Amino acid sequence: MSDRGRFGRMGFILAAVGSAIGLGNIWKFPYITYANEGGSFVLVYLIAIVLIGAPIMFAELIIGRRTQQSPYGAFAELGKQALGGKAWSAVGGLGVFTGFVLLSYYAVIAGWTVYYFGRCLTWSLQGYDVQNAPLGEMFGGFLANGALQITFLAIFLGVTTGVVLLGVKSGIERVTKTLMPILGVVLVLLAINSIRAPGFGDAMRFLFHIGPIDADGFLEAVGHSFFTLSLGMGAMITYGSYVSKKQSIPGSTFLICLFDTLIALIACVIMFSIIFSIPEAERATTFGRSSTMLFTTLPSMFYALPLGGLLSPVFYLLVAFAALTSTIGLLEVAVSYFIDARGWTRKKATLFCGAAIFALGVPSALSLGASNGLSSFNPFGSLATGVLDTFDYTVSNWFLPVGGLLTAVFVGWMLKPELLRDELEEGHGTFKAFGLWLFLLRFVGPVAILWILWAVIGGRSFA
Ligand code: PFF
């Protein structure tokens, strides 16, 4: 285990917060909130974070810190004492595999934020020039340009690989410690600035009114709580394995969930204040409830705002930072497997994983219009079209929920409660809510996830 590393106290919190905060908060959460009519959806999401996400995060951090190993080794070691034995290591293996697939397409989307940063910078310097060429068309053209897609994928993975290559302390910890405070402060400033937007009041009403919510919206909120907290694939097991025994797991979990949720809500305030500033009729016809809201709706609106020319490149740079601290976490899951279980050096593991993930990302990058075959690839029929969509469908609907379910069952039912209490209280002191936590982990989480899987088997898609 020579090439392992260790986080400092704040380093761990910021790295884990960095892994949690990403495209899921700034790209996905606002559009699914918009599509699900805000209000109640946000409330269900908050409840899911507390009752389902946080307890599973405890579980992941416990097994990571207890074993000081990445997911595969962690499940293998603790599995020895459990029913089912070493077979549990397959859950760790699933996590590593999920990390590969998720990062391969996540980095494609992350690459778009870098492209938009460059675009916005040029518009700011030269004048905003897309009045004659609508953003939707420009975005479509960009997606269908295979060379550009691959270039930005390579840039994003290149930077991610560079950081992970430097190691836990001098790479991951240093970069996340620098980027996360900048991200937090600038997003708060952008949110304060949006109070001046005419749509601010409507945006707040939309976000916090309580209205009806259907079963699909409910399940989507629960499913998203997994994605946004980086759960179900061993990312928190991996980061937990670099945490000192002096650190409190409940305290850390509280901070990670709090910051992740705050940033998701702040992203909504910023985006909705802009969107609700245009008249309703126009909004309804021009801006569908589309997953591309961040890339087609937002830029033009930024330029209509005071200081928009300054704000828009800053905003896209921040989204790129948020995505980077997540791709770092994803790559580390795969890298730590090769270091721990195969005895590779960090350098060999990182270069190999970076290259393999890039190769896996190329079909996704070409599946947005550049290649007809890859763009119409649809093994799940109408549920997902194209390689990128298919990967996202599989990861979000199957791999993460199944990984989360098995983690909850393993920790909740297979490990001895004394071991769990011992690890939770190490660095924390007496943990009064132990019984409540175990109840949530044993019953509430698994039932909610089984419900999601049941809906997915029935043909629903929550990607
Ligand atoms: N939590 C990230 C987001 O919300 O964008 C996505 C993610 C990152 C999932 C890292 C899993 C992970 F290991």
Side-chain angles (χ1 to χ4, degrees):
M1 284 200 230
S2 58
D3 247 358
R4 303 202 104 246
R6 168 137 303 177
F7 284 129
R9 180 180 288 263
M10 275 321 280
F12 163 65
I13 304 275
L14 288 172
V17 167
S19 161
I21 296 175
L23 295 170
N25 302 61
I26 307 181
W27 166 65
K28 200 164 182 179
F29 184 65
Y31 91 71
I32 56 178
T33 300
Y34 195 54
N36 283 288
E37 301 292 343
S40 303
F41 179 80
V42 175
L43 186 66
V44 173
Y45 168 78
L46 296 178
I47 295 173
I49 295 277
V50 176
L51 298 187
I52 301 161
I56 294 181
M57 187 174 295
F58 272 40
E60 291 206 8
L61 292 177
I62 286 178
I63 48 184
R65 197 180 64 170
R66 181 79 184 185
T67 58
Q68 304 281 302
Q69 291 199 49
S70 53
Y72 182 83
F75 275 101
E77 184 179 321
L78 292 173
K80 278 191 226 144
Q81 319 157 19
L83 188 70
K86 279 194 84 174
W88 283 102
S89 61
V91 184
L94 173 69
V96 177
F97 181 70
T98 307
F100 263 87
V101 180
L102 177 47
L103 179 51
S104 75
Y105 70 83
Y106 193 94
V108 173
I109 303 172
W112 303 348
T113 64
V114 179
Y115 176 77
Y116 267 73
F117 165 66
R119 270 284 177 160
C120 287
L121 206 58
T122 334
W123 285 328
S124 301
L125 298 174
Q126 295 174 356
Y128 181 63
D129 68 351
V130 286
Q131 273 82 357
N132 298 326
L135 274 167
E137 271 172 39
M138 183 207 94
F139 184 59
F142 166 60
L143 292 185
N145 185 328
L148 276 181
Q149 290 300 322
I150 291 179
T151 305
F152 282 93
L153 167 68
I155 292 175
F156 218 92
L157 276 181
V159 176
T160 307
T161 307
V163 175
V164 172
L165 208 49
L166 290 173
V168 171
K169 188 113 189 137
S170 34
I172 304 178
E173 175 164 335
R174 212 161 41 149
V175 169
T176 47
K177 252 183 167 169
T178 314
L179 294 187
M180 292 320 287
I182 301 180
L183 176 77
V185 170
V186 183
L187 279 181
V188 169
L189 291 179
L190 285 176
I192 293 174
N193 185 56
S194 56
I195 296 177
R196 299 186 311 151
F200 178 75
D202 284 345
M204 295 305 276
R205 263 188 294 284
F206 180 80
L207 262 179
F208 297 112
H209 79 279
I210 300 301
I213 178 166
D214 59 15
D216 276 4
F218 188 90
L219 293 178
E220 179 140 32
V222 176
H224 185 66
S225 70
F226 266 77
F227 185 86
T228 192
L229 293 177
S230 306
L231 298 175
M233 48 153 288
M236 290 297 162
I237 300 180
T238 309
Y239 274 6
S241 76
Y242 305 131
V243 173
S244 117
K245 295 274 183 195
K246 293 200 197 91
Q247 197 141 350
S248 155
I249 290 180
S252 308
T253 302
F254 173 76
L255 289 177
I256 300 166
C257 294
L258 179 72
F259 285 126
D260 185 72
T261 307
L262 283 178
I263 295 294
L265 292 176
I266 286 176
C268 284
V269 170
I270 297 171
M271 289 174 63
F272 293 163
S273 298
I274 298 175
I275 289 170
F276 281 92
S277 293
I278 46 169
E280 190 168 356
E282 202 180 320
R283 201 164 64 226
T285 53
T286 326
F287 308 112
R289 307 175 156 215
S290 131
S291 60
T292 60
M293 194 158 89
L294 184 64
F295 301 101
T296 52
T297 310
L298 221 56
S300 62
M301 297 189 176
F302 259 123
Y303 282 90
L305 286 182
L307 291 184
L310 184 71
L311 297 180
S312 69
V314 172
F315 179 77
Y316 285 97
L317 187 62
L318 290 179
V319 186
F321 284 174
L324 178 65
T325 52
S326 294
T327 53
I328 291 171
L330 281 163
L331 182 58
E332 182 62 21
V333 174
V335 166
S336 66
Y337 164 75
F338 287 99
I339 295 176
D340 288 354
R342 302 284 171 112
W344 289 12
T345 61
R346 172 163 290 273
K347 188 171 169 201
K348 178 174 168 193
T350 311
L351 293 177
F352 170 77
C353 291
I357 290 167
F358 173 70
L360 188 62
V362 168
S364 281
L366 298 178
S367 74
L368 305 161
S371 147
N372 282 338
L374 295 171
S375 308
S376 53
F377 176 74
N378 64 342
F380 297 105
S382 61
L383 291 173
T385 310
V387 176
L388 190 147
D389 248 15
T390 303
F391 280 1
D392 189 27
Y393 167 79
T394 322
V395 167
S396 304
N397 291 279
W398 289 103
F399 292 175
L400 294 183
V402 167
L405 176 66
L406 293 173
T407 307
V409 168
F410 179 71
V411 177
W413 293 98
M414 300 295 152
L415 298 183
K416 294 204 180 66
E418 304 82 69
L419 178 151
L420 303 177
R421 185 188 276 278
D422 186 46
E423 194 61 36
L424 265 184
E425 295 190 342
E426 175 109 47
H428 179 82
T430 313
F431 181 58
K432 295 206 190 70
F434 183 79
L436 174 65
W437 167 68
L438 202 56
F439 173 77
L440 294 172
L441 187 71
R442 283 184 168 175
F443 299 101
V444 179
V447 168
I449 300 171
L450 283 171
W451 188 14
I452 294 185
L453 291 172
W454 179 249
V456 171
I457 291 168
R460 233 85 49 85
S461 162
F462 301 106

